[in-house]
Amino acid sequence: MSEELLYWLAGDLRWSDFPPKADMIATIAALIVVAGAIGVVATLTIARRWRWLFDNWLSSLDHKKIGIMYMVLAFVMLLRAVIEAVLMRIQQALSVNAQGVVSADHFAQLFSTHGTIMIFFVAMPFISGLINYVMPLQIGARDLTFPFMNAVGLWLSAAGAAILMASLVIGEFSTGGWSGYPPFTELAYSPGEGVDYWIWAVTLSSIGTTLTGINFATTIYKERCEGMHLFRMPLFCWTSLCTAILMIFAMPPLTVATALLALDRYAGFHFFTNGAGGNMMNYANLFWLFGHPEVYILILPAFGVWSEVISTFSGKRLYGYASMVFAVMCIAVLSFTVWLHHFFTMGQSTNVNAVFGIATMLIGIPTGVKVYDWLLTMYRGRIRLTAPMLFAMTFLLCFVIGGLTGIILANPPVDFQVHNSLFLVAHFHNMLIPGTLFGMIAGYMFWFPKAFGFRLDERWGRIAWACWSGGFLAAFMPLYWLGLMGMMRRTAISFEAAYQPWLNAAWAGAALIVCGIVALGIQLVVSVRRRSDLAVPVGDPWDGHSLEWWTPAPPPEYNFARRPRIEDTEAFTNAKRDGRAYHAPPSYEDIEVPRNTLIPAGIGAAGFVCAFALSWHIWWAALLGLAAMWAGVVLRSLQGDTERVIPAAEVQRQNEAWLDCARQTAPVTRFAEVERINRGRAMETT
Amino acid sequence: MSAGKNLHPGINLGHSDPAGHHQAEPVMFGFWIFLMSDLVLFALLLATYSAMSVHGVAGGPEPRDVTDLASAGIETALLLLSSFTIGMASLANKYHDDGRRLLQWLGLTAVLGIGFLAMEARDFASLIAEGAVPQRSGFLSAHFTLLGCHALHVAAGLLWMAVLVLQLMATGLERALRLRFMRLALFWHMLDIVWVAILTFVFLYGAAG
Amino acid sequence: MSIETCTNADCSGSGHGLLSPAGLIAQIQQDHLIQTVLIVSVVIVPVFIALPLLLWRYRLARQNVYSPEWRFAWAPEFVIWGVPVVIVGFLGFSLWHTLHRIDPYRPLGTGTEPPLHVQVVGLDWKFLFIYPGEGIASVNELVVPAGRQIAFDITADGPMMSFIVPRLGGQIYAMAGMRTKLHLIADAPGSYRGLNTQYNGQNFARQKFELKAVGPDEYRQWVRSSRNGPALDMARYAALAKPSVIDRPLRFGRVEDGLFGSIVAAYHTADRQPGDRLSSAGDTHR
């Protein structure tokens, strides 16, 4: 076959891009991915679960199922990114005046994929998933405003994640870091498919997230139940709203940055190239105009989780609700005014640096307020140190350290020194692990009983907490010190023997974090096995405050038999106190729910094909993928009958069964919260 | 939320189709938010353009070399006129049930839109013929990208219009379709607003500078 | 001494990075760091005290005072908003003041001697130092007189890099076609590690150099001996600019006039294909 014909058919893709690879570890990783994929397919086939998978999950437009699928995606990607982190820690610990175990180029791919995955395919799916599951329940809605678009968002994110997985098997990934700074990522310095993989994976995620943000914001503004004024929403909804607003405004800059970089690489444009008028400083501005709000997109929903967890397990109303809302809004607005602190060292004037430094420190004010509001929420409460609450405590302690180092980094005089160093790496991991990730784990443990009808095993939850907390401290506190010693990020080898003990500690910490993940896995398996012991069918195992606890566990697909009408933020608490929480409504009505459809998954698959083909310059397949994506949208608009009616009688049957169950269940006190007798009807004891 | 609060900004269907008006509320609101997000995209492209038009010339053509005011004038006239015609289409969408009048106004809008795209294609072709290709300098890259992105949006709007018209002919003016026409009109107006910004910053400033 | 053998004992002296400043700038940076930590402690230390206390006093088993409905009071509200506002105000003032003292673009207000000018070109994966006043140049070895401030002009011929000497101060980006500035001073003679902090390819971690601060006589002698080195003309520069790791420092006795300026300017002329190095159109980066 002629070279030209081959290019038309397969672009730059050749047999040599498939495993085995030059690097032993890379080959093993590729084989693990392939084996994992084969394993999943085989398991589904043997267990005859394909139809179940398609009918119940892949085609679902139910916000609860989409939320769970987001979380599954996040957990799978978390596994890979943590393994990469451990590999990097091993490399750095073994490469002081030595070669270590991986090549410099492989190391660069590791930090690039680790960062990209953790931000776009772990943290983002986690928060999208949690908000998806919890927020509509908390505002008493039946679903998001746009269920179809919600599923499209999920499948575009999944397509982006699939690109990352494909890059592990076929070809190589970018070495340009998660921020993909040109001109290094331009063709001149990074030829090959790596940066293209990065561009399209991130772009898919960015478009999906923009759609999701629009959906969340519309839902919160338009789908609240009667009496749910904005200032009666649970704090998690407020943080979801701020996150949604940030997504709407902050994702377009990322789309623009990656699109312009793509134009440079594919069409020879000169946005960020060296020379011909290109200027990478524009990229830095565009990227961080996204990147800084992005960190608040990641942390704000966790703030919401902490507010719910701390208030629930202190048995108290949240202290300073209005103050908290105001603080969150302040943070959201300020997050757009500080992007320049990511490049104090780019040579702009001192006054500009100073203004952005001070603006950055301003964010410390509302953030500090929140920490104290949480402490005041615990004041005069009845505190139970369940696993989610334990995570919350680690969060509070670590988060103030992260706040301190954030203030330090906001000071250009110090930033000049620690920019690009491990101090910076320690800082953002300090915010994102105890902040976002612990928040998501706590949220997972907190709302798991709601989603699946049984609690998670408490003992393994505590073990997981101990491993994660200890692992985090051991892995990242040394990095602060190494940063002050002048060790820079992204170094595959180092030449200072004094780094060694600190690198060893960091490596041990990373290993402990892996133990934490294993503990989470064991917790899940143990809990599934003991599910009848842990069952909480009534749906309110923690004496919750907000509406999501006022439904069965798991909730029916329409969420509420009758949409609630509330008169206070803590309507459910009041109803429980007055003994009217489980009274039957006067009447029932037919409920419309969206019909299942496979179109969103199809759009995601087409998006994957398009992105993969673009990365390898297989133009015909890229066009086909793009056309298929739009065909999916048009096809949807042609579907006439997109709703399914659940008759009132059926709703009544289900609801009364639940109410009977609730009335027959003995209330359980907080002392017995984690005992077997907790069947989901928890009560305050005074 | 009670029905009384459902007063979305835009054409009010409340008199002829209260239920449709009720449905329009979240749908239109969501679309406004999408437009906001799309405007952020254009704002950033404009910002990139303005930086590049000063620092990215690299010895190549400058803004005044690539702006043809006469052509821009015709393009502006076409697009603004199409905004008027799609406004008339929106009124037809509200007051008439048979869809015929709607089709006529949409047809006129499509003709004007295609005319606009043809003019822009002519501009691009003449620039390329002069050697002012986007690969030549950062400024030209930004120029082609900004205008190209807007043109792509106009083309997408036309394609969307075509799909909706086919649906209209197949099913008649259903409620769901009415809401889609309302969104299309909003989208089209937004492209006009973006064009006004482009006209100012690219063409008028360019010609003056 | 070659960079490869520059291990802990040789290079690091008594300490590392910001922990052990050896110049005025780094000293100010360290002082600012310590000051910031102390001030912010006013807000964070109470958290460390209050949290265990709250957990102990209000644990469920203790059945202490319980006010489930208590949700707001003005007094704590004023404190938790007011104290951070005051602290950030103070920090902001201190930031402004310190930052203007050590503005990397302005000469330090110390000493009477005019600064020593050094032009830095970041290359894959080494630093070229041009001494325009002396007409010499070196690679991966920066010899300066101790106690005299150095005024750097910095650019790159390749992807973006970042220039720092941790124990003296920094850092500032090195970008192709652009010229950034930095002022540093070494208080005492010594050997200090300098490096690139911005990832620029597989040998990024090896892009480091040694800054030697020496006495005035020793400096003059070093300059004299450097003059014997080969000339750095365009051809030799082109060879040098190719991606490579330099194990031993190089010295050049003569430098083509305006070399630094032409490296910066090359990225502004329209006829050059961008992304090309001055040196080589063809060779690949990785």
Side-chain angles (χ1 to χ4, degrees):
Chain A
M1 200 161 24
S2 79
E3 197 57 28
E4 203 164 314
L5 182 64
L6 196 61
Y7 181 77
W8 276 105
L9 281 177
D12 292 326
L13 189 58
R14 296 292 177 274
W15 282 119
S16 56
D17 295 313
F18 289 83
K21 304 193 172 200
D23 189 325
M24 184 64 179
I25 293 176
T27 308
I28 293 170
L31 291 179
I32 291 174
V33 173
V34 173
I38 293 173
V40 169
V41 170
T43 312
L44 285 167
T45 309
I46 292 165
R48 295 175 172 275
R49 286 288 192 161
W50 280 105
R51 173 158 285 278
W52 165 83
L53 183 70
F54 273 92
D55 288 353
N56 287 301
W57 293 96
L58 303 187
S59 64
S60 179
L61 299 190
D62 182 347
H63 72 94
K64 298 182 286 301
K65 288 190 170 159
I66 289 176
I68 291 167
M69 286 190 279
Y70 264 122
M71 303 280 266
V72 171
L73 174 68
F75 265 117
V76 171
M77 298 308 282
L78 177 71
L79 280 181
R80 170 172 168 196
V82 166
I83 291 170
E84 288 174 336
V86 172
L87 193 51
M88 284 190 285
R89 287 275 140 262
I90 293 174
Q91 165 70 16
Q92 285 192 330
L94 294 182
S95 66
V96 179
N97 288 312
Q99 280 305 318
V101 290
V102 297
S103 69
D105 205 56
H106 188 191
F107 185 82
Q109 288 184 54
L110 287 173
F111 68 67
S112 303
T113 44
H114 171 81
T116 308
I117 290 176
M118 282 298 196
I119 297 287
F120 294 103
F121 302 110
V122 175
M124 295 295 274
F126 248 136
I127 60 155
S128 293
L130 207 62
I131 294 176
N132 238 308
Y133 197 94
V134 176
M135 181 269 287
L137 287 167
Q138 283 196 332
I139 60 171
R142 296 225 182 282
D143 204 326
L144 294 180
T145 306
F146 307 108
F148 180 82
M149 197 164 90
N150 190 25
V152 172
L154 164 70
W155 292 110
L156 289 180
S157 295
I163 288 288
L164 256 296
M165 293 318 262
S167 78
L168 200 52
V169 181
I170 305 167
E172 294 188 336
F173 196 71
S174 168
T175 56
W178 84 278
S179 52
Y181 262 30
F184 181 68
T185 48
E186 293 283 359
L187 275 182
Y189 307 109
S190 296
E193 68 285 356
V195 178
D196 300 323
Y197 269 145
W198 177 82
I199 288 176
W200 301 118
V202 166
T203 305
L204 282 173
S205 153
S206 161
I207 294 169
T209 307
T210 310
L211 297 180
T212 306
I214 293 170
N215 213 343
F216 288 160
T218 312
T219 305
I220 291 176
Y221 279 118
K222 293 295 169 189
E223 307 289 341
R224 280 167 287 131
C225 68
E226 226 173 297
M228 179 72 79
H229 305 162
L230 283 174
F231 271 88
R232 284 183 188 162
M233 294 195 304
L235 209 82
F236 182 75
C237 293
W238 272 106
T239 57
S240 302
L241 177 60
C242 290
T243 287
I245 293 172
L246 292 181
M247 283 174 174
I248 292 160
F249 286 104
M251 299 321 280
L254 175 65
T255 310
V256 170
T258 53
L260 299 188
L261 183 59
L263 282 171
D264 278 1
R265 289 179 61 89
Y266 283 79
F269 283 30
H270 292 298
F271 284 105
F272 315 123
T273 52
N274 276 348
N279 189 336
M280 68 74 60
M281 292 192 209
N282 289 338
Y283 182 90
N285 280 289
L286 286 171
F287 186 84
W288 292 113
L289 206 48
F290 143 77
H292 200 79
E294 166 72 7
V295 302
Y296 293 97
I297 290 176
L298 298 179
I299 199 79
L300 289 182
F303 284 175
V305 174
W306 298 128
S307 301
E308 305 291 326
V309 165
I310 291 175
S311 132
T312 303
F313 289 112
S314 300
K316 261 189 72 191
R317 276 184 98 113
L318 192 66
Y319 171 84
Y321 174 90
S323 178
M324 286 274 212
V325 171
F326 185 66
V328 174
M329 280 293 174
C330 279
I331 294 172
V333 171
L334 285 173
S335 73
F336 281 103
T337 64
V338 299
W339 78 91
L340 191 132
H341 70 214
H342 294 271
F343 43 93
F344 281 143
T345 54
M346 209 180 255
Q348 56 275 20
S349 88
T350 299
N351 287 349
V352 171
N353 276 349
V355 166
F356 276 88
I358 291 168
T360 306
M361 292 198 296
L362 285 179
I363 295 187
I365 298 172
T367 315
V369 167
K370 293 186 77 70
V371 169
Y372 278 92
D373 278 343
W374 287 316
L375 289 179
L376 286 165
T377 301
M378 292 161 65
Y379 173 68
R380 292 193 168 175
R382 287 276 154 87
I383 300 168
R384 295 98 76 195
L385 282 176
T386 54
M389 191 65 170
L390 285 171
F391 273 106
M393 298 305 104
T394 308
F395 157 73
L396 283 174
L397 292 179
C398 293
F399 195 70
V400 291
I401 300 173
L404 165 66
T405 56
I407 296 271
I408 290 170
L409 281 162
N411 279 264
V414 187
D415 181 78
F416 287 152
Q417 274 278 352
V418 290
H419 177 71
N420 270 349
S421 77
L422 288 185
F423 190 89
L424 169 79
V425 173
H427 166 72
F428 67 71
H429 283 87
N430 194 340
M431 296 323 237
L432 290 177
I433 294 177
T436 304
L437 194 60
F438 285 8
M440 294 304 114
I441 294 173
Y444 153 77
M445 292 179 172
F446 185 59
W447 281 298
F448 185 92
K450 173 51 58 183
F452 294 98
F454 57 95
R455 284 173 285 124
L456 286 168
D457 183 79
E458 186 65 21
R459 201 163 62 94
W460 279 103
R462 286 167 194 227
I463 294 172
W465 163 75
C467 292
W468 273 102
S469 302
F472 163 75
L473 288 172
F476 292 99
M477 294 302 137
L479 298 198
Y480 278 125
W481 199 249
L482 283 167
L484 292 177
M485 289 167 87
M487 179 165 179
M488 295 302 156
R489 72 195 296 200
R490 298 175 178 176
T491 39
I493 50 171
S494 51
F495 303 93
E496 313 284 320
Y499 295 165
Q500 189 70 62
W502 305 100
L503 288 170
N504 290 348
W507 178 82
L512 204 50
I513 286 179
V514 172
C515 297
I517 290 191
V518 172
L520 283 178
I522 295 175
Q523 182 196 33
L524 187 62
V525 172
V526 167
S527 311
V528 171
R529 288 223 175 124
R530 294 183 51 214
R531 63 186 174 279
S532 55
D533 285 356
L534 296 168
V536 286
V538 181
D540 178 28
W542 319 122
D543 189 14
H545 299 243
S546 37
L547 294 182
E548 79 270 29
W549 304 110
W550 209 351
T551 61
E557 58 181 323
Y558 44 82
N559 291 352
F560 299 94
R562 266 190 85 91
R563 293 185 63 189
R565 177 186 302 184
I566 67 158
E567 69 298 322
D568 181 45
T569 309
E570 311 237 322
F572 182 43
T573 311
N574 297 342
K576 280 191 284 188
R577 215 167 277 162
D578 304 346
R580 56 183 169 78
Y582 300 107
H583 288 180
S587 65
Y588 293 93
E589 52 195 33
D590 293 352
I591 295 173
E592 283 189 340
V593 293
R595 271 179 205 284
N596 286 5
T597 166
L598 273 169
I599 295 177
I603 290 176
F608 172 81
V609 170
C610 181
F612 183 83
L614 279 171
S615 304
W616 289 101
H617 304 172
I618 311 169
W619 307 117
W620 62 269
L623 272 177
L624 205 66
L626 189 66
M629 284 172 89
W630 284 107
V633 176
V634 172
L635 196 64
R636 172 67 177 180
S637 79
L638 299 178
Q639 281 182 336
D641 193 17
T642 57
E643 304 274 311
R644 184 164 54 87
V645 174
I646 298 173
E650 172 65 16
V651 175
Q652 179 168 14
R653 193 186 59 74
Q654 291 178 357
N655 195 49
E656 281 176 6
W658 169 58
L659 290 173
D660 280 344
C661 167
R663 284 189 290 255
Q664 282 160 19
T665 303
V668 63
T669 70
R670 284 172 186 157
F671 285 101
E673 206 166 32
V674 295
E675 309 290 322
R676 201 184 155 187
I677 57 167
N678 183 357
R679 312 308 282 174
R681 190 174 174 194
M683 290 291 277
E684 181 184 307
T685 49
T686 38
Chain B
M1 298 272 97
S2 65
K5 286 184 190 161
N6 290 326
L7 282 174
H8 68 79
I11 295 276
N12 192 328
L13 293 175
H15 320 284
S16 52
D17 185 2
H21 184 63
H22 193 76
Q23 278 184 14
E25 178 61 21
V27 175
M28 297 303 286
F29 184 84
F31 198 73
W32 275 100
I33 297 183
F34 161 74
L35 291 183
M36 219 155 60
S37 173
D38 213 20
L39 279 175
V40 174
L41 186 131
F42 277 112
L44 293 167
L45 287 179
L46 262 170
T48 307
Y49 173 87
S50 51
M52 285 296 195
S53 65
V54 180
H55 302 295
V57 173
E62 292 185 33
R64 86 173 91 86
D65 305 324
V66 299
T67 41
D68 178 354
L69 270 189
S71 180
I74 298 170
E75 282 158 9
T76 308
L78 287 172
L79 211 55
L80 291 188
L81 211 56
S82 80
S83 220
F84 171 74
T85 56
I86 204 156
M88 295 306 286
S90 298
L91 289 176
N93 185 29
K94 177 180 177 184
Y95 288 112
H96 299 274
D97 285 336
D98 64 353
R100 214 162 46 81
R101 199 176 293 228
L102 174 61
L103 270 180
Q104 288 166 357
W105 284 115
L106 283 181
L108 209 52
T109 310
V111 170
L112 291 166
I114 291 167
F116 170 83
L117 285 183
M119 286 296 293
E120 254 199 333
R122 205 192 61 120
D123 285 357
F124 277 9
S126 75
L127 281 182
I128 290 167
E130 289 166 22
V133 292
Q135 287 82 359
R136 184 150 162 208
S137 72
F139 160 65
L140 285 170
S141 300
H143 180 84
F144 275 86
T145 304
L146 174 60
L147 293 177
C149 184
H150 179 262
L152 215 58
H153 273 70
V154 174
L158 286 171
L159 214 60
W160 185 11
M161 199 183 291
V163 172
L164 291 189
V165 164
L166 288 179
Q167 288 183 25
L168 176 63
M169 302 211 281
T171 64
L173 195 49
E174 282 185 332
R175 179 180 296 153
L177 212 47
R178 279 206 155 134
L179 301 186
R180 285 180 196 149
F181 278 120
M182 285 166 74
R183 276 174 277 174
L184 173 67
L186 270 188
F187 182 70
W188 201 265
H189 289 310
M190 182 207 70
L191 295 184
D192 256 25
I193 293 168
V194 172
W195 179 258
V196 171
I198 291 177
L199 176 73
T200 313
F201 287 107
V202 176
F203 291 98
L204 299 181
Y205 273 37
Chain C
M1 183 183 60
S2 105
I3 287 293
E4 288 303 297
T5 58
C6 166
T7 55
N8 187 31
D10 306 322
C11 272
S12 62
S14 55
H16 292 271
L18 198 53
L19 299 175
S20 160
L24 179 64
I25 302 264
Q27 189 59 56
I28 293 173
Q29 289 173 324
Q30 193 200 44
D31 293 346
H32 190 80
L33 170 69
I34 292 167
Q35 185 196 330
T36 308
V37 171
L38 290 177
I39 296 171
V40 177
S41 298
V42 175
V43 184
I44 68 167
V45 168
V47 175
F48 286 105
I49 297 168
L51 188 66
L53 218 61
L54 286 167
L55 286 178
W56 176 254
R57 285 180 58 97
Y58 298 105
R59 70 191 193 280
L60 179 64
R62 200 158 181 258
Q63 298 284 306
N64 203 335
V65 199
Y66 182 42
S67 326
E69 287 296 316
W70 184 71
R71 68 188 98 154
F72 189 76
W74 280 107
E77 204 64 10
F78 273 117
V79 176
I80 63 180
W81 281 94
V83 173
V85 166
V86 171
I87 285 179
V88 168
F90 191 80
L91 286 171
F93 177 80
S94 134
L95 179 156
W96 187 277
H97 178 73
T98 312
L99 186 55
H100 280 84
R101 255 178 91 196
I102 60 166
D103 178 358
Y105 273 54
R106 289 212 337 252
L108 309 163
T110 59
T112 50
E113 245 181 317
L116 170 70
H117 279 280
V118 176
Q119 295 164 331
V120 181
V121 185
L123 301 168
D124 278 336
W125 291 277
K126 62 251 161 193
F127 283 107
L128 166 66
F129 303 106
I130 303 169
Y131 295 67
E134 329 281 8
I136 58 168
S138 62
V139 174
N140 280 359
E141 180 188 48
L142 179 57
V143 178
V144 296
R148 181 173 167 194
Q149 65 171 307
I150 317 143
F152 294 101
D153 275 309
I154 302 168
T155 192
D157 193 2
M160 185 172 92
M161 300 165 208
S162 189
F163 176 81
I164 189 172
V165 184
R167 293 188 62 199
L168 301 189
Q171 61 193 282
I172 206 92
Y173 285 161
M175 296 171 284
M178 287 173 246
R179 186 191 299 240
T180 47
K181 290 173 188 292
L182 181 66
H183 288 82
L184 295 178
I185 187 166
D187 289 345
S191 169
Y192 310 104
R193 185 175 64 109
L195 65 160
N196 166 28
T197 75
Q198 178 74 31
Y199 187 81
N200 61 337
Q202 57 181 354
N203 285 310
F204 156 68
R206 295 176 189 274
Q207 187 172 352
K208 47 211 209 59
F209 62 92
E210 193 188 356
L211 185 148
K212 281 188 195 152
V214 296
D217 294 337
E218 204 181 329
Y219 175 68
R220 271 192 295 276
Q221 196 187 337
W222 179 80
V223 170
R224 254 200 311 278
S225 71
S226 296
R227 293 235 161 84
N228 301 328
L232 183 61
D233 52 20
M234 270 327 220
R236 205 167 258 131
Y237 173 76
L240 183 68
K242 285 191 174 127
S244 63
V245 178
I246 306 283
D247 285 341
R248 294 179 168 281
L250 307 174
R251 289 192 216 168
F252 297 99
R254 254 188 1 263
V255 180
E256 182 147 318
D257 280 346
L259 177 62
F260 184 83
S262 63
I263 293 168
V264 175
Y267 285 99
H268 295 279
T269 55
D271 55 336
R272 247 189 88 214
Q273 277 305 305
D276 292 354
R277 291 175 189 76
L278 278 173
S279 49
S280 52
D283 62 358
T284 57
H285 187 253
R286 296 210 315 215

